[in-house]
Amino acid sequence: RKLGYLMLLVLFSNCSASLKASYSRLSKPEKTWIFFHPFKAKKAYAISMETERVKDSVKALNVIGNDNNGGQLDAFKHSYWMARLTQGIGRRAALSLGNAHEKGNYQSFKKRRLEDGFLPDKPSTDMDLHNNQVGITIGKQFNNDSKHKIVDIIIDSIHEGKMRILLKDKTGHFMDCDHKKVPLDSLKGKWNTKKCLVPSDIKLIEVFTIP
């Protein structure tokens, strides 16, 4: 254990202020992951920053919309992150970091801390875990391919329904699996909500056609 702390000290003593600030915002499960993977942490950080840049670029192309809260863009971000982590630090380390991130989301929920501006819940976490696994599979299968090809593969996978998203109507309102609006009050401060997980090729539904 002392060796682990020593490696962390060496790792972060030469880090930029932005990396140190990012570390301070991590959840306990994510910090634990860094403790056990100190030499992979910098690479994981670089890939995480890359993921945000690539997500913004894909958003600007408008090939999968701009919904980063349960939509196709959200699915893209998680799958791309895991695919590139698998390429960069290996499948097991990528999987354990993804799981640590989702455990951190549950802690954020309990502390009412937002993730990307939204309070996490169980359907959102289930969506992320599924898309993480698809991303890991892509990263393993195309381990030596460029990040540009990874982008194309993930976008194709989204259009083929291999990812998962949360069902919404055309106004962006969450729907349950009976195609009924989920009341906003039922989402406040709840972990188990009635948001509906669906394949990523599902189109936004016309709510006025639902009786």
Side-chain angles (χ1 to χ4, degrees):
R1 186 175 296 270
K2 288 183 179 179
L3 178 60
Y5 283 120
L6 178 59
M7 288 189 293
L8 284 178
L9 179 62
V10 172
L11 177 67
F12 286 101
S13 62
N14 297 316
C15 286
S16 65
S18 61
L19 195 155
K20 291 178 181 178
S22 296
Y23 177 81
S24 68
R25 292 192 295 267
L26 293 177
S27 65
K28 184 177 179 180
E30 290 168 316
K31 289 178 178 178
T32 299
W33 182 90
I34 291 175
F35 176 82
F36 287 107
H37 303 83
F39 297 117
K40 295 182 177 181
K42 277 192 173 182
K43 182 68 173 180
Y45 174 77
I47 291 173
S48 299
M49 295 300 99
E50 172 195 310
T51 298
E52 289 298 323
R53 294 192 299 271
V54 172
K55 180 202 72 176
D56 291 341
S57 297
V58 171
K59 177 180 178 180
L61 293 174
N62 198 32
V63 291
I64 52 173
N66 59 7
D67 186 358
N68 193 41
N69 180 24
Q72 291 180 333
L73 186 65
D74 193 359
F76 172 88
K77 178 182 68 176
H78 280 268
S79 295
Y80 180 85
W81 185 45
M82 284 293 112
R84 293 288 288 133
L85 283 174
T86 299
Q87 288 182 318
I89 64 175
R91 182 188 66 83
R92 289 187 178 181
L95 178 61
S96 62
L97 177 54
N99 289 340
H101 178 74
E102 297 310 322
K103 289 178 182 178
N105 279 347
Y106 183 64
Q107 292 185 351
S108 295
F109 164 79
K110 292 193 293 184
K111 296 178 180 179
R112 299 298 186 266
R113 292 177 181 171
L114 304 181
E115 183 202 18
D116 295 331
F118 307 100
L119 192 65
D121 56 20
K122 188 177 187 301
S124 301
T125 297
D126 290 342
M127 170 185 161
D128 292 346
L129 289 171
H130 176 91
N131 295 332
N132 285 355
Q133 189 59 60
V134 176
I136 288 172
T137 300
I138 291 172
K140 183 179 179 181
Q141 183 177 356
F142 300 93
N143 188 56
N144 296 318
D145 286 283
S146 70
K147 61 183 178 183
H148 303 290
K149 184 170 182 179
I150 295 298
V151 168
D152 291 338
I153 292 169
I154 290 177
I155 290 175
D156 287 345
S157 297
I158 289 171
H159 288 154
E160 292 166 2
K162 295 179 181 178
M163 308 293 182
R164 292 293 179 267
I165 59 174
L166 297 174
L167 186 63
K168 294 183 180 181
D169 66 19
K170 289 195 172 182
T171 68
H173 200 114
F174 287 109
M175 310 294 288
D176 64 21
C177 292
D178 294 321
H179 288 193
K180 296 179 181 178
K181 282 189 175 183
V182 179
L184 291 176
D185 288 345
S186 71
L187 300 176
K188 295 178 180 178
K190 300 291 179 62
W191 178 249
N192 291 294
T193 66
K194 291 187 176 182
K195 294 177 184 177
C196 186
L197 208 59
V198 293
S200 54
D201 59 343
I202 294 293
K203 305 299 182 182
L204 298 175
I205 66 173
E206 296 281 3
V207 65
F208 59 80
T209 65
I210 306 300

